[in-house]
Amino acid sequence: MKNWRVYLLAFIFILTGLVIFFFKMSKWDKDFRPGQGGALWDVVIQMNYKGRGEASRIRLTLPSTNERQIIYHEDFDNDLDFSTHNHQRTNNRIGYWNSDLLDKSGSVRYSFSVQVRSQQFEIPQEARISTHPENDYPDDIQFWLRSTKHIQSDNPSIYKHLKKIIRKKDKKAAVVTEKIFKYIRGEIKYQSEKGSKDATQTLDALTADCGGQARLFVAFSRAAGIPSRLVGGILLDEGVKTVTHVWAENYIGGTWIPFDVVNNHFAFLPANYLEMYRGDYALIRHMRLESFEYFFVIEHGKIPPADPFFTLYSLPLPFQNSVKVLLLIPIGVLVVTIFRVLIGVPTFGTFAPIILALAFREISLGTGLACLSLMIGIGCVLRIFLDWLKVLVVPRISLIITTVVIMTVGIMVFGNLIGQGQLLYISLFPMIIITWTIERFSVVQTEDGTVAALKIAAGTTLVAMTAYFLMDHPALRFYLFTYPELLLGVMGLLLLLGRYTGLRLSELWRFRELRKIKG
Amino acid sequence: MLFLKGESFGLLGMNRRNGDYLLPNNPRSQYPLVDDKLQTKRKLEEFGFPTAVTYLEITHPFEISRLKLLRRYREFVIKPARGSAGRGILVIGDREGRRVQKTNGQWLRHDELEYHVTNILAGLYSLGGTDDACFVEYRVHSHPVFKNISYEGVPDVRVVIYRGIPVMAMLRLPTKQSDGKANLHQGAMGTGIRLDTGTTVNAVHRNSIVTKHPDTGVSVAGVQVPFWEQILETASAVYPIFGMGYIGVDFVIDVLLGPVILEVNARPGLNIQLANQKGLRHRLDAVDFAGEKVEEWLPAERFAFAKELARL
């Protein structure tokens, strides 16, 4: 027998898959050492909205991976149209949720995991303040020297104070930054407030929250000739919160170095600082909404990130969900193969159950099965009627397809009318597959009897449901997306099943009379 | 292991049939020859094997009007060329003007007949649903020996031929449930046949072992299949025509013509094992054990070997 070749190939497939899988797992263990200030967090940003019947938009800056933090397992789940866009100057990654007509309330969930560590930054001590920034810095750095509406670095009172803080001969960026830092720490008191102050307001009031103090720090730094900017983010703590945090970073000797005046972190960030955006922006903005609220749910994470070079997480976020669905198909076909080859369950069409299971994922199992049975029932009645009219085959099937479409639209309208929004997803039902199922069902029914047709229908439902429950399992989705090499293992199993020539489970029943005699 | 339990008495399962017998022995290129009954018939006629006479071939919708030519015939059978499991076969047993009567007594108008042919041409009954051809042939009248053990329809003799050698045979008897068709899964009854003597042994109906015909109540065991030697000789000779190593050949025994090959099946079912109360694998192994060049044997050698197999 040539079986050894198949076994060898299957073995190679499974082994390769497992080796890559365990290699990736072990590599993460090395990168991730909790004792050294690294920490894993799972963050959910939940945004609840109520529309007022206009074109609406929600804008959220999404965190990016940098040397201190790794963002992974990003996921979004919502009813609105989602897209992402990279801001050219700041390189902030901005997610947009759009809707042409938003007249209901709903929610948008964006979740991700982050591995973040504390970091002490080395300040290049010899770096001098540039006297000709237009020559010394590229455009995108010069941008961070300009005075803005809320960071008024060209304001006379800022200059006046700066002269008191630093001496003329202070030319080293490190020294100047430290003096500004100490001045604000000494002079400005912390006070939490509604709506942050700008730089001059902070200087006048001598009290401010993190935003006001960071703006003043940035204004002084820019006035002194050091490129400086705000950084916004979240302080990670287990629990539910709505507060964001802002700190600053200065461009010294070619690198950006963070300074948090309020929490007294000088060139240092602790392990709970999640950076979300750079620049004087708001984390979340929304347009033309009746009401809007958001909160963060933060928990300790358990699963470390994958090596960023090998992962599917590097794909643009809006496409990740479709890849997740694609990766489920091999699991579905594995289910079909097991049911056919090992158990011997008859189905309408080999892979139709998978396509149905994928459709069930969008519309929920119970509703999906109910709608499907309804459509097939009505379709079969129609087919009997068309049979009686002696309509030719191709026009007849086309008529059934049209009826399936009409029924789909009808269910959508009905679902909308009674406020069952999930019924709208029935538009994702595979019309052609349903039509062929109707056709096959009625052919089997006429030729082999109703019992035979119902048996095959039950088999189809069983396989579709099993595939559905497996494919809907979040852990499986996660593992396949994180470790797509597991598909090699699936291929190995399929190869083994391809040379399983033993009896099917159903054949033990089918030939039970023979067993009674011989067995 | 649970699944292996059947292996001890040589039960052949669907997976092994497909993986170890169909895939290695039946070349893909030969399938059209047996899947298309019209091609099968032409080939059989070319080599001088007995088949039912074809009255009419209809391959295009515009030819449907030629069905009128059948007005001279009282009896005929309409079949799809690529039908599977007996689907789409219409047996006409009587005529009254433009109406014809199915053998189950139902009357059909001429337009109903045309509609049926249209469905056949559009591929409703064909493997894979592709466009199909249709033919009308001589209606076989079953040998009187089967009269008491079949209900309407025509019983047929299925012989499974492995590498040219007949390895197992059964008699398939239509029942009321099978609507006169001889397919076991549609409710027909299967009766094992001893390869050496041609007498029937056990019977299976709907996957359970029975002794009497469900409709007539007559015992089906111990019936001598007429022309058995001739059937086995023909079965031993068909290999070179089709070049397929694992096929089922269906014979019907006409009262006038004797054994006639009705069709050839490239995926013969496994129920024949139930009908004979014997697994196929011992006999298949015996054929493989008989030598590398079994395919080159003469029909007479195959015939003799098949009779030997009856003892297994």
Side-chain angles (χ1 to χ4, degrees), chain A residues 341 387 392 499-500 507 518, chain B residues 3 14-15 20 115 118:
Chain A
V341 173
D387 229 17
L392 295 180
R499 281 307 302 167
Y500 170 75
E507 283 168 349
K518 315 269 169 148
Chain B
F3 292 13
M14 192 69 87
N15 291 330
D20 287 349
Y115 177 66
T118 308

Side-chain angles (χ1 to χ4, degrees), chain A residues 158-168:
Chain A
I158 296 282
Y159 271 112
K160 207 175 84 190
H161 278 85
L162 186 66
K163 271 183 201 156
K164 281 191 246 164
I165 301 165
I166 57 172
R167 284 176 293 171
K168 268 240 161 78

Side-chain angles (χ1 to χ4, degrees), chain A residues 261-508:
Chain A
V261 193
V262 173
N263 292 332
N264 198 16
H265 295 308
F266 187 81
F268 171 78
L269 285 180
N272 65 334
Y273 272 55
L274 169 69
E275 182 186 319
M276 299 282 287
Y277 61 92
R278 292 168 291 257
D280 194 3
Y281 303 108
L283 176 64
I284 300 172
R285 301 184 67 164
H286 54 87
M287 285 166 73
R288 292 186 287 275
L289 283 174
E290 176 90 23
S291 68
F292 182 83
E293 55 155 12
Y294 67 88
F295 54 89
F296 314 119
V297 182
I298 303 163
E299 285 171 7
H300 282 291
K302 285 160 208 76
I303 301 149
D307 187 332
F309 295 105
F310 293 146
T311 74
L312 298 171
Y313 291 101
S314 55
L315 288 171
L317 192 53
F319 295 96
Q320 289 189 9
N321 270 359
S322 45
V323 172
K324 280 178 190 163
V325 174
L326 285 183
L327 290 174
L328 291 175
I329 294 173
I331 298 301
V333 298
L334 182 66
V335 170
V336 166
T337 312
I338 288 172
F339 269 101
R340 302 280 287 211
V341 173
L342 287 189
I343 306 178
V345 177
T347 58
F348 288 117
T350 315
F351 295 110
I354 301 307
I355 298 168
L356 292 177
L358 284 174
F360 289 162
R361 286 186 61 245
E362 304 292 340
I363 189 170
S364 91
L365 186 64
T367 324
L369 279 175
C371 291
L372 189 66
S373 317
L374 180 76
M375 288 165 98
I376 289 179
I378 294 176
C380 282
V381 172
L382 174 77
R383 195 195 172 282
I384 293 168
F385 179 64
L386 291 174
D387 229 17
W388 181 69
L389 288 179
K390 313 276 177 244
V391 177
L392 295 180
V393 173
V394 176
R396 183 179 71 216
I397 290 169
S398 308
L399 275 164
I400 296 175
I401 291 179
T402 312
T403 313
V404 168
V405 168
I406 292 171
M407 285 192 281
T408 307
V409 176
I411 290 175
M412 287 172 75
V413 172
F414 176 72
N416 198 34
L417 211 66
I418 62 166
Q420 292 287 319
Q422 59 164 347
L423 281 177
L424 292 172
Y425 285 102
I426 200 173
S427 58
L428 296 165
F429 259 38
M431 315 284 158
I432 308 295
I433 297 283
I434 291 177
T435 305
W436 276 112
T437 310
I438 292 170
E439 192 64 25
R440 288 203 184 102
F441 185 90
S442 55
V443 168
V444 175
Q445 196 198 8
T446 18
E447 302 284 337
D448 298 347
T450 312
V451 177
L454 287 177
K455 255 187 202 168
I456 304 181
T460 311
T461 314
L462 177 70
V463 176
M465 275 173 62
T466 313
Y468 166 82
F469 280 120
L470 258 180
M471 297 201 291
D472 205 44
H473 201 279
L476 194 76
R477 248 162 71 101
F478 159 72
Y479 270 102
L480 278 174
F481 194 72
T482 315
Y483 307 100
E485 61 275 6
L486 288 175
L487 288 189
L488 286 174
V490 172
M491 288 175 81
L493 285 179
L494 287 171
L495 269 172
L496 289 179
L497 286 169
R499 281 307 302 167
Y500 170 75
T501 51
L503 294 177
R504 295 174 183 175
L505 204 55
S506 62
E507 283 168 349
L508 291 185

